[in-house]
Amino acid sequence: MSLIPSFFGNRRSNVFDPFSLDVWDPFRDFAVSTTRTPETSAFVDTRIDWKETPEAHVFKADVPGLKKEEVKVEVEDDRVLQISGERNVEKEDKNDTWHRVERSSGKFMRRFRLPENAKMDQVKASMENGVLTVTVPKLVVKKPDVKAVEISG
């Protein structure tokens, strides 16, 4: 039984056929667009790792081809770390013939709410070989001095 005509020759789709060409998309009716545009492609492709060591929170972001002047690291009062930047499109020469354009361009921005133990006034950032490293030191939690009390009696 055919429910939806196929665009692939005589193959018909059927919701009950496990080899059907139909794929149910639960997000099909939402208003949010899942298509990639030049404005969102760099944002989507910016990968950031966040690890916590005993001394600090360390963020590593892949930003290949960007100079440190094109990346911005900001700290907000309510313990929010923001990493943003922009990858510009190459200037196009009328004599050039493009065969493929796969590198993304556009703006990106990532925000992270940091935990209570972050020292927001001592954030450091460095960039080497296309990797941005942001280090946020942690407050040293002083363990209380425990003194044994002798019990009399």
Side-chain angles (χ1 to χ4, degrees):
M1 176 168 105
S2 172
L3 298 177
I4 301 173
S6 173
F7 296 104
F8 303 103
N10 289 334
R11 174 111 172 125
R12 300 257 181 211
S13 60
N14 182 332
V15 292
F16 303 109
D17 177 8
F19 301 106
S20 171
L21 296 174
D22 282 340
V23 177
W24 178 66
D25 181 8
F27 304 107
R28 177 179 42 217
D29 296 325
F30 285 110
V32 177
S33 172
T34 58
T35 58
R36 290 173 55 154
T37 64
E39 293 82 24
T40 62
S41 62
F43 172 79
V44 172
D45 291 340
T46 302
R47 305 286 189 221
I48 299 180
D49 296 336
W50 176 4
K51 75 175 177 181
E52 183 175 354
T53 67
E55 298 82 27
H57 296 275
V58 180
F59 296 83
K60 290 192 179 241
D62 290 337
V63 288
L66 292 183
K67 300 177 200 136
K68 67 180 184 177
E69 295 81 19
E70 298 171 317
V71 178
K72 194 185 316 182
V73 177
E74 298 173 307
V75 177
E76 295 178 8
D77 290 337
D78 52 347
R79 294 186 334 275
V80 174
L81 173 70
Q82 179 173 300
I83 300 171
S84 61
E86 184 170 5
R87 183 175 291 124
N88 295 317
V89 181
E90 282 190 33
K91 292 188 169 82
E92 194 171 320
D93 188 0
K94 292 184 179 187
N95 297 326
D96 293 343
T97 302
W98 289 87
H99 294 282
R100 184 173 295 247
V101 177
E102 294 182 344
R103 297 183 307 140
S104 59
S105 61
K107 295 180 181 182
F108 67 90
M109 180 182 66
R110 300 290 305 273
R111 295 168 55 95
F112 301 93
R113 181 168 303 281
L114 297 170
E116 297 278 341
N117 66 353
K119 289 184 178 179
M120 301 304 289
D121 57 336
Q122 297 180 14
V123 176
K124 291 188 173 33
S126 64
M127 193 145 76
E128 185 176 344
N129 296 328
V131 177
L132 172 70
T133 302
V134 180
T135 305
V136 183
K138 291 168 46 176
L139 293 170
V140 177
V141 179
K142 184 178 177 187
K143 295 187 179 189
D145 292 335
V146 178
K147 187 179 359 175
V149 176
E150 187 177 322
I151 302 174
S152 62

